[in-house]
Amino acid sequence: MRMRKVPWAVEYLEKSQRLEKEPAKWKGKWHNRLHTKDLHVEIGCGKGQYSLDMAKMYPESGFIAIEKNESASGIAAKKFDEDPAEKKLALIVEDAADLGEWFKEGEVDVIHLNFSDPWPKKRYAKRRLSSDSFIRQYLQVLSDSGRIEMKTDNGALFEYSVLMFLDYGFRLKDFQVDFRKEEHPEDAITEYEAKFIEKGQPIYRAVFQKK
Ligand SMILES: C[S@@+](CC[C@H](N)C(=O)[O-])C[C@H]1O[C@@H](n2cnc3c(N)ncnc32)[C@H](O)[C@@H]1O
């Protein structure tokens, strides 16, 4: 689903308090920057609702939302700026392919992959957020007890990702093929997720533990 261009997004991003224009500058210093004990990174945050809600639910934790689309991230930036929970939130508007340059080895506690683009064609498999080059970087930046929390509506992407993460030595800590069948007040609902729930579609979820 292609996002409609938001005319004010680029201009807004320029003045946003939450936008981190030089993420590499904070490598190894994100905990201090966000005054937090544990660090969560959401890749492909879209309009940012998940990171914002999670930051409110877990005030002790810091959340860094990464989104490469300027229209979506412009909306996320505005939401973050307008909310009092904003202090533990940062936004990076870049392609997460450079993730390893922004975080020190072992600096990140949790990586969230929510409704990532499935890229079903084999020739675009490298763009999947659970493909080799991304997983190698996750292994590098995650702490020893770090984990990846993944949700998707896409069965094929889910199967692919489970096999990939297991192949790279992650342990499957949690696994559901209809996550929202039960109440999960500990986990916020993303924008995409809300649409799938409304349509009655099941949500696949897995948690992969590094060690
Ligand atoms: C299908 S949307 C889901 C948005 C949000 N996570 C949700 O659940 O509502 C996927 C988002 O991931 C972003 N994305 C995909 N690949 C990315 C990458 N390599 N780096 C940063 N963002 C990416 C896309 O721009 C898009 O906004």
Side-chain angles (χ1 to χ4, degrees):
M1 209 186 315
R2 184 156 275 206
M3 166 122 196
R4 202 177 299 149
K5 196 167 175 188
V6 175
W8 48 265
V10 173
E11 201 183 325
Y12 186 85
L13 282 168
E14 278 302 311
K15 58 178 187 192
S16 168
Q17 299 296 307
R18 293 298 100 203
L19 178 69
E20 190 40 69
K21 286 185 186 158
E22 292 178 77
K25 201 173 82 179
W26 295 100
K27 189 171 183 170
K29 300 180 198 137
W30 285 105
H31 288 88
N32 287 346
R33 158 94 156 78
L34 297 179
H35 308 288
T36 182
K37 270 202 324 279
D38 66 332
L39 203 64
H40 293 239
V41 171
E42 184 190 8
I43 305 179
C45 72
K47 297 176 191 167
Q49 197 63 46
Y50 183 78
S51 280
L52 178 61
D53 288 345
M54 290 291 277
K56 284 193 227 169
M57 284 159 67
Y58 299 96
E60 299 297 308
S61 302
F63 283 81
I64 300 170
I66 303 173
E67 173 54 57
K68 66 178 180 177
N69 179 290
E70 285 176 331
S71 290
S73 46
I75 295 173
K78 195 157 186 293
K79 271 187 202 162
F80 292 1
D81 284 337
E82 285 169 359
D83 205 283
E86 56 157 307
K87 289 182 193 66
K88 295 226 184 301
L89 278 168
L91 178 66
I92 298 176
V93 184
E94 302 277 354
D95 192 313
D98 294 328
L99 189 80
E101 291 174 25
W102 310 329
F103 300 99
K104 203 180 134 195
E105 213 171 289
E107 189 172 16
V108 176
D109 298 288
V110 187
I111 293 175
H112 300 270
L113 301 177
N114 290 321
F115 301 86
S116 307
D117 296 325
W119 295 109
K121 291 196 176 132
K122 213 173 169 186
R123 68 175 182 275
Y124 295 130
K126 282 187 179 163
R127 297 184 190 177
R128 294 177 197 150
L129 295 180
S130 44
S131 63
D132 298 272
S133 65
F134 283 103
I135 299 186
R136 278 192 218 109
Q137 295 189 76
Y138 302 158
L139 279 168
Q140 185 189 314
V141 303
L142 276 174
S143 64
D144 283 348
S145 58
R147 63 182 193 274
I148 293 172
E149 298 191 2
M150 175 190 187
K151 291 189 283 185
T152 181
D153 61 303
N154 189 298
L157 180 70
F158 194 59
E159 285 175 11
Y160 168 88
S161 305
V162 170
L163 293 176
M164 288 296 288
F165 285 119
L166 295 186
D167 228 28
Y168 273 89
F170 281 86
R171 190 168 65 83
L172 196 53
K173 201 182 166 216
D174 213 351
F175 182 87
Q176 289 106 352
V177 289
D178 195 357
F179 182 56
R180 294 292 175 192
K181 192 171 66 182
E182 275 136 39
E183 298 272 307
H184 283 286
E186 78 285 3
D187 183 64
I189 294 174
T190 82
E191 278 107 346
Y192 268 65
E193 189 171 7
K195 290 182 194 163
F196 295 123
I197 292 172
E198 204 180 303
K199 286 192 214 158
Q201 279 181 239
I203 307 297
Y204 303 98
R205 180 178 181 270
V207 178
F208 306 97
Q209 185 87 43
K210 187 173 162 188
K211 276 188 181 168

